[in-house]
Structures are given as structure tokens and as C-alpha cells.
Amino acid sequence: MKNDKRDNFTYAVKNKLAKRVAYVYSNPNCRKMTIGPDSKNGINNIGVAAHICATTPGGPRYDGNMSEEQRKSINNGIWLCQSCAKLIDSDENKYNIQVIKSWKQQTEDIVSYNFGKRVSLNHE
């Protein structure tokens, strides 16, 4: 059995992160839908639950003061696409904790504001 030292998110946390933003990427410059139907009556999901603070020492924005539970909690996660997840980890100075948390909060606020409202889904 693999010994994985990363504090990975549980399925429940990943699911909640995605649903809190209606499966829309949290990067305000990306904000695309991440879930939809596939050709076999299944579901395609192209979003990922990314860590705000890394799970292992030396990782992007790692905080040694965080407990294992804090590192894998919903508070340390954001819903992104693979590209944006890589982007935030490649430039820690530009994409610091405050920037990432503001993306998360903005997207949750937008979804909350629009909750229960009609959305426009057009072919364009």
C-alpha cells in the first residue's frame, strides 16, 4: 500500500468545494463551467480541488503552523481548472494566499447572489 504523506482532500471536501461555486472555476479570469454531460449518459468533470497552502513542506504557500486537519479542510481549498491550479503554484508571489482566498470568496459570493435565479445558457 502506498504511503502518501500528502494531506489530500476527502471526496466530501472536493464535492463541497465544487458545489459551493456551482462547478465554476474560481479564478475570475477563467470562470468556466467544469461539469457537464458526456456522450455515454455520464458526467464530465474537468475541475480540481486545489490546495491554497501546500500539503507538504517546500510546496507553494506551505504553512508549517497548520495542522493536518487544517491542510485538508475546505478552508484550505479552492475549485480551479488544471491550468489555473498549476498557475497559482508556479508564481507564489503573484498568487499569494490573500489573492487565492479572494478568488474563492468572490466566486462563492457571485454564486450566492445568483442562487435561485434564472441563468442564461446560450449557444454562441
Side-chain angles (χ1 to χ4, degrees), residues 45-110:
N45 176 11
I46 56 175
V48 295
H51 287 88
I52 296 170
C53 294
T55 61
T56 54
R61 298 166 306 279
Y62 179 77
D63 180 351
N65 294 317
M66 291 176 79
S67 69
E68 175 184 339
E69 289 306 311
Q70 289 171 317
R71 281 191 286 276
K72 60 185 182 181
S73 79
I74 194 166
N75 296 324
N76 190 38
I78 185 169
W79 192 249
L80 296 170
C81 67
Q82 295 277 354
S83 295
C84 289
K86 172 70 172 132
L87 177 71
I88 67 170
D89 287 350
S90 296
D91 193 345
E92 289 179 66
N93 292 324
K94 184 173 183 179
Y95 304 105
N96 59 48
I97 293 168
Q98 294 75 24
V99 167
I100 298 166
K101 284 186 174 186
S102 73
W103 287 0
K104 179 179 179 177
Q105 188 63 55
Q106 287 171 7
T107 307
E108 288 181 355
D109 289 348
I110 290 167

